[in-house]
Amino acid sequence: DTGVSQDPRHKITKRGQNVTFRCDPISEHNRLYWYRQTLGQGPEFLTYFQNEAQLEKSRLLSDRFSAERPKGSFSTLEIQRTEQGDSAMYLCASSLRGSSYEQYFGPGTRLTVT
Amino acid sequence: LAKTTQPISMDSYEGQEVNITCSHNNIATNDYITWYQQFPSQGPRFIIQGYKTKVTNEVASLFIPADRKSSTLSLPRVSLSDTAVYYCPGGSGNTGKLIFGQGTTLQVKP
């Protein structure tokens, strides 16, 4: 399977702990996006990379969130000092720059903060 | 922001054609229109994309009028497995950022 993969699929953590998620995009895709989705809502944009450069970050993203994409391949999303409000599905998507609205999503990482 | 508006829910029966309409009141001149499908506990799946007139693929058809203020996703002869949430996200120009609304929950009944 050469689709987008995410790890872990599920994460349960206690409030105040740090968590890190990984996304492996489709290999030839140079754009990578992170979204967050809560129950009953559509995905909400968090940030995106073109190759290794982080080009946009949502204003909704607090300083506790950080993302990286070293060498323009896989990406990590870290949440520090988690809060219960961080509980959500974290989705990663990738695309080719020329067809950016055609994005391929991974299965997501479901985070539960207790 | 290129937000879109679509019905919250729709019901249909197996074998029927389903048309879901989306309003794109703030669409930019160079934006494409895309539709996604999402099943529970999965990421959204790209269905179809178009700029104007009609586009058809093996899954669906997309109708876009000349003014591009709306679009209609047409699913021919739906089955139970088409029960899902369908989104017509707005776009954000060159960034490719997608702006999702609540989507349309399609329930296909036997």
Side-chain angles (χ1 to χ4, degrees):
Chain A
D1 189 334
T2 58
V4 178
S5 62
Q6 294 187 244
D7 184 69
R9 294 292 307 277
H10 304 274
K11 178 71 176 179
I12 299 174
T13 190
K14 292 184 177 181
R15 188 177 55 187
Q17 297 295 305
N18 299 342
V19 294
T20 300
F21 310 141
R22 176 180 172 124
C23 170
D24 286 90
I26 294 172
S27 58
E28 62 267 28
H29 286 183
N30 50 16
R31 285 194 171 177
L32 186 149
Y33 302 82
W34 284 99
Y35 295 85
R36 175 173 64 188
Q37 186 173 27
T38 54
L39 199 61
Q41 303 298 314
E44 176 186 41
F45 170 80
L46 294 179
T47 188
Y48 96 99
F49 293 82
Q50 183 166 304
N51 300 313
E52 66 276 8
Q54 186 175 18
L55 297 185
E56 185 172 341
K57 188 175 176 180
S58 170
R59 285 172 290 177
L60 301 174
L61 217 57
S62 75
D63 291 343
R64 298 184 297 105
F65 288 72
S66 63
E68 294 183 341
R69 193 184 182 196
K71 303 178 183 178
S73 56
F74 71 92
S75 176
T76 58
L77 177 68
E78 180 183 17
I79 309 174
Q80 296 182 330
R81 304 180 303 282
T82 53
E83 302 172 356
Q84 287 189 321
D86 297 331
S87 295
M89 175 78 85
Y90 289 83
L91 294 162
C92 174
S94 69
S95 72
L96 287 169
R97 181 179 177 184
S99 56
S100 290
Y101 291 164
E102 184 176 343
Q103 296 182 14
Y104 292 84
F105 283 79
T109 295
R110 181 164 297 284
L111 173 65
T112 302
V113 181
T114 61
Chain B
L1 288 178
K3 290 188 175 180
T4 59
T5 305
Q6 54 185 124
I8 294 295
S9 64
M10 292 182 69
D11 288 340
S12 182
Y13 291 93
E14 283 191 290
Q16 289 188 334
E17 178 184 73
V18 171
N19 296 310
I20 307 174
T21 299
C22 178
S23 296
H24 305 264
N25 288 324
N26 296 321
I27 191 168
T29 303
N30 59 345
D31 275 354
Y32 279 76
I33 291 172
T34 55
W35 283 80
Y36 286 79
Q37 174 192 56
Q38 187 176 29
F39 298 112
S41 299
Q42 294 185 23
R45 181 177 77 103
F46 172 83
I47 300 175
I48 196 166
Q49 175 174 271
Y51 186 77
K52 59 181 176 181
T53 65
K54 177 183 175 182
V55 178
T56 298
N57 62 20
E58 65 278 6
V59 177
S61 293
L62 178 60
F63 300 90
I64 302 171
D67 66 5
R68 302 194 341 112
K69 295 297 185 184
S70 66
S71 67
T72 299
L73 176 72
S74 180
L75 304 172
R77 297 179 300 282
V78 294
S79 65
L80 297 176
S81 63
D82 292 315
T83 293
V85 180
Y86 292 83
Y87 296 97
C88 57
S92 185
N94 293 331
T95 69
K97 175 174 69 177
L98 295 173
I99 302 165
F100 289 85
Q102 283 189 287
T104 298
T105 299
L106 173 65
Q107 179 70 50
V108 180
K109 302 175 182 178

